[in-house]
Amino acid sequence: MVAFIFALLMPLGAWAEASNSSSSFDKLEFGTRFGAGLMYVITDSEKDYYPSNGGPWGSLSFDVAYGLTENLYLHSGVGLDYRIFFVYIEALAGDVLDYDVGEEQDAYDKCEGSFYCGRRHWEYNQAFLLNVPVLLQWRIPRILFLEVGVVFELLLGTIENEDDGWRDESYRNRDEESRFGVNVAMGVGHQFKSGLFIDFRVLFRVNDLIDADKFADSYFIPVQEFDGDGNVVFDFMDYSEPYGSYYKLLKLQLGVGYWF
């Protein structure tokens, strides 16, 4: 895929190189960039309570670069991100109808006989974010550029998938979404003489995607007990399982942009 995109952009780059442009040092530059790629949630969660398969994402930004020297630039700007998180739901716990007390069962098996048991489907959540990069960029003119730094992001809103045909509530609570994110970023690319550039970025979000207590919704399970006379009685215990202790995010993206 990378080779295909580069093959498409090379003729445009050749045209850009042939155009007349100044090679002098520009201390202040303004530009724009569009990027698209994939992201992956890194977590120790085993049950996929939170969308943990990642998905595609894209960004559009308006950038500014300030030249500290002819080769070293401070690169910043402001951009908008659009992301889609996917998760495949295999089974959900519901009302306990057929459960043998004392029998060892997996948490999902406890819903045996419930209307919700055995439902399998994909769910997705869309997210919109504002991001601000703070990068140092080292340029080797008409050869390549390298950049490294931090990208800050602010969650603007989410759209949660509820149209699964059998459930009325959202799979993920918006209040659990971390509103503020911090990413370390690295990138490499090529800038043509005209100002056109192509790049590849890797970003890793260092703080969790969710900041709420990482526990699934609790539900009751039957527990066998004995009264004072030794008779068997039944009670119900509040039960919950952990989401996972961390939810990090790895993002890969190809971009194309232009410095005016």
Side-chain angles (χ1 to χ4, degrees):
M1 180 178 178
V2 175
F4 176 72
I5 293 177
F6 269 76
L8 290 179
L9 291 175
M10 286 309 293
L12 183 58
W15 169 84
E17 291 284 10
S19 64
N20 293 324
S21 62
S22 172
S23 61
S24 63
F25 169 48
D26 294 325
K27 201 170 185 65
L28 185 63
E29 297 180 352
F30 297 93
T32 185
R33 177 184 180 275
F34 171 76
L38 296 174
M39 58 185 182
Y40 305 90
V41 178
I42 301 174
T43 177
D44 59 350
S45 173
E46 297 180 356
K47 298 299 184 181
D48 286 338
Y49 289 111
Y50 185 91
S52 60
N53 295 315
W57 72 296
S59 64
L60 177 64
S61 64
F62 298 94
D63 296 9
V64 59
Y66 180 79
L68 303 174
T69 70
E70 291 193 23
N71 300 104
L72 183 63
Y73 283 73
L74 178 62
H75 178 195
S76 187
V78 61
L80 290 174
D81 281 6
Y82 171 73
R83 306 175 185 175
I84 304 178
F85 295 88
F86 288 100
V87 63
Y88 181 67
I89 308 300
E90 292 187 353
L92 293 174
D95 297 328
V96 178
L97 299 181
D98 298 322
Y99 179 69
D100 296 329
V101 176
E103 181 181 340
E104 291 292 332
Q105 289 184 315
D106 182 84
Y108 283 99
D109 295 333
K110 293 184 177 68
C111 69
E112 183 180 354
S114 167
F115 173 75
Y116 298 111
C117 279
R119 299 283 175 157
R120 292 177 171 84
H121 64 283
W122 284 94
E123 287 199 0
Y124 64 91
N125 300 101
Q126 302 173 74
F128 303 87
L129 302 98
L130 181 73
N131 67 71
V132 177
V134 181
L135 307 169
L136 280 177
Q137 186 180 91
W138 178 262
R139 298 181 181 179
I140 304 175
R142 292 182 295 279
I143 299 178
L144 62 82
F145 63 84
L146 302 171
E147 55 186 10
V148 62
V150 180
V151 178
F152 302 98
E153 59 188 27
L154 177 67
L155 180 68
L156 300 178
T158 60
I159 299 177
E160 299 169 341
N161 172 39
E162 300 179 6
D163 185 20
D164 53 29
W166 61 278
R167 211 150 44 101
D168 296 328
E169 62 186 66
S170 302
Y171 181 71
R172 180 178 56 171
N173 190 330
R174 168 182 290 194
D175 295 336
E176 295 176 353
E177 188 88 14
S178 177
R179 311 296 296 188
F180 181 73
V182 179
N183 306 263
V184 293
M186 297 181 62
V188 60
H190 175 72
Q191 181 174 331
F192 301 98
K193 191 175 182 181
S194 69
L196 176 74
F197 67 87
I198 52 178
D199 65 10
F200 175 73
R201 286 183 182 177
V202 178
L203 299 92
F204 181 78
R205 176 161 166 160
V206 297
N207 65 315
D208 278 352
L209 286 168
I210 53 176
D211 54 13
D213 292 336
K214 299 180 179 64
F215 283 89
D217 293 335
S218 61
Y219 52 92
F220 290 106
I221 61 174
V223 178
Q224 179 177 302
E225 297 180 348
F226 298 91
D227 61 16
D229 298 327
N231 299 316
V232 176
V233 295
F234 292 94
D235 197 358
F236 291 90
M237 179 181 67
D238 190 13
Y239 181 84
S240 64
E241 291 190 350
Y243 285 107
S245 62
Y246 58 87
Y247 285 91
K248 308 301 182 182
L249 189 64
L250 175 65
K251 294 174 283 185
L252 309 175
Q253 189 182 77
L254 286 170
V256 58
Y258 188 84
W259 292 109
F260 297 101

